[in-house]
Amino acid sequence: MAPDLAARLDQGVQSGEFANLHAVFIARKGRVEMERYFEGPDERWGTPLGTVAFSADTLHDLRSVSKSIVGLLYGIALAEGKVPALDAPLLDAFPAYLDLARDERRRAIRISHALAMTMGLEWNEDLPYSDPRNSEISMERSKDRYRYVLERPIVANPGERWRYSGGATALLGHLIAKGAGVPLLDYARDKLFSPMGIEKVEWTRGFNGEAAAASGLCMRAPDLARVGQLLLQRGEWNGRALVPKDWISESLTPRADAFEGLRYGYHWYVIQRQDGSPAYMAIGLGGQRLVVIPALELVYVIFMGNYYREDQLKPLFAVQKLIHASLR
């Protein structure tokens, strides 16, 4: 990395260009290249924390980066036979909703469609998360989180159209916990985090008392970077296969067009770089990013606190531009 990267990050924070930047952690070829932490206002899943002095030991909301971790956990549970197969009808895993299962169009939704966010159900997270009409907020406030998701109006055939959906992740997180017989965080600790030496982690509970699978995970920047390194190593850590190699490949295979310039695999975003090689991302509201670029053996994490800024992508993209311009 360019030797002046840290100084330029400091300068950008002071000037306001990198508004409310909390942390940048960069690793290359498995080695830490740079880590920088700042001070600023933050919150925990909507609860204000005031001004926080961030460090390598500070837990940070991942928001929807949580979804990508759930995607990895589903692959682990699938290999253990604890969750339904990819081609299984999604509603078969929710036998309490027999009335919904009578609808043949709903029965056509498979587990794979939930993983790829192509269920074909109405869902709207384009509204601010402070707006009760936002589908994720409505889901959390409903009497039955999972019925709320599964009974949404059908707007497309399964597999036909991508629609960003925290509801899809909520369903998957529930199936993992149900199949494992333990809370989602306990399963994540046992199968993924602890074997990687990640001990300090939290998963905020939703209004129904279960983990908010889509957005509630809290991790430290260096630990999230380890997850990126795990992708580079195709699921292996210290010689042990934590995530099946074929599941890493499945997860990173594009299955639908997502946001502009991005495609979507199984809960991971896929980008085609200018040289044609792929890069992978986990994305969270407010400026949370985990970026993995195999061709450069590069992993980096960005934490920010711009959860309510309409232009939250502007300071985020400015930080990413600086990081990429600093590569040597």
Side-chain angles (χ1 to χ4, degrees):
M1 309 298 296
D4 65 342
L5 174 57
R8 293 181 67 183
L9 283 171
D10 293 348
Q11 183 181 28
V13 169
Q14 291 166 8
S15 71
E17 182 184 9
F18 305 152
N20 210 12
L21 177 63
H22 293 166
V24 175
F25 186 97
I26 304 171
R28 199 167 186 186
K29 298 184 178 180
R31 298 188 300 272
V32 178
E33 287 284 347
M34 194 211 72
E35 53 184 319
R36 203 74 171 169
Y37 302 96
F38 302 93
E39 182 176 293
D42 200 23
E43 63 175 51
R44 175 65 49 81
W45 216 61
T47 301
L49 299 175
T51 299
V52 178
F54 295 94
S55 72
D57 198 48
T58 307
L59 288 172
H60 198 285
D61 266 14
L62 300 192
R63 298 300 170 101
S64 288
V65 172
S66 308
K67 294 177 171 67
S68 298
I69 306 300
V70 171
L72 295 180
L73 293 174
Y74 199 91
I76 297 170
L78 182 64
E80 293 183 333
K82 294 181 177 178
V83 291
L86 297 182
D87 60 352
L90 182 59
L91 277 163
D92 281 0
F94 294 87
Y97 310 138
L98 289 176
D99 57 320
L100 300 179
R102 295 189 188 103
D103 185 335
E104 288 301 317
R105 292 188 69 189
R106 290 186 195 277
R107 279 194 55 78
I109 303 172
R110 308 293 173 178
I111 294 291
S112 61
H113 297 135
L115 283 159
M117 292 192 184
T118 57
M119 295 189 295
L121 300 177
E122 179 185 82
W123 198 264
N124 184 6
E125 290 189 48
D126 296 334
L127 297 166
Y129 288 88
S130 56
D131 191 322
R133 297 172 299 169
N134 179 297
S135 293
E136 183 171 346
I137 303 304
S138 295
M139 172 187 72
E140 286 296 335
R141 293 180 176 178
S142 67
K143 293 182 179 179
D144 184 334
R145 183 194 284 182
Y146 311 113
R147 183 179 184 90
Y148 178 87
V149 179
L150 292 165
E151 70 180 3
R152 292 302 89 207
I154 299 169
V155 295
N157 293 323
E160 184 176 273
R161 187 187 312 166
W162 186 80
R163 186 62 177 167
Y164 185 76
S165 173
T169 314
L171 297 174
L172 296 169
H174 177 71
L175 292 180
I176 295 166
K178 178 183 175 183
V182 296
L184 186 61
L185 178 56
D186 289 353
Y187 186 74
R189 285 185 190 277
D190 184 42
K191 300 297 180 177
L192 187 64
F193 296 141
S194 291
M196 296 174 67
I198 299 172
E199 299 299 337
K200 187 175 180 180
V201 61
E202 296 176 2
W203 211 315
T204 303
R205 294 181 181 181
F207 296 166
N208 71 346
E210 295 182 48
S215 57
L217 188 58
C218 303
M219 295 181 68
R220 300 177 292 190
D223 290 339
L224 183 58
R226 292 186 180 205
V227 176
Q229 188 64 33
L230 183 70
L231 256 64
L232 282 182
Q233 296 167 186
R234 312 305 289 182
E236 288 194 3
W237 195 265
N238 290 335
R240 177 181 172 186
L242 299 183
V243 183
K245 186 177 181 180
D246 60 349
W247 185 254
I248 297 292
S249 297
E250 291 283 339
S251 299
L252 303 180
T253 298
R255 301 174 188 281
D257 291 329
F259 301 118
E260 183 178 357
L262 300 175
R263 303 199 72 201
Y264 205 66
Y266 283 161
H267 270 46
W268 284 87
Y269 293 93
V270 183
I271 313 158
Q272 186 175 27
R273 301 174 65 239
Q274 289 185 347
D275 64 4
S277 65
Y280 310 113
M281 276 205 306
I283 295 176
L285 179 75
Q288 323 320 319
R289 289 293 187 276
L290 169 60
V291 179
V292 181
I293 306 178
L296 302 177
E297 297 183 75
L298 176 71
V299 173
Y300 68 82
V301 169
I302 299 172
F303 287 159
M304 305 184 87
N306 298 317
Y307 309 104
Y308 305 106
R309 287 180 61 130
E310 291 186 4
D311 67 341
Q312 62 181 259
L313 293 179
K314 183 178 179 181
L316 170 69
F317 288 166
V319 174
Q320 290 189 280
K321 182 178 179 181
L322 175 60
I323 291 172
H324 286 264
S326 300
L327 292 171
R328 293 289 185 267

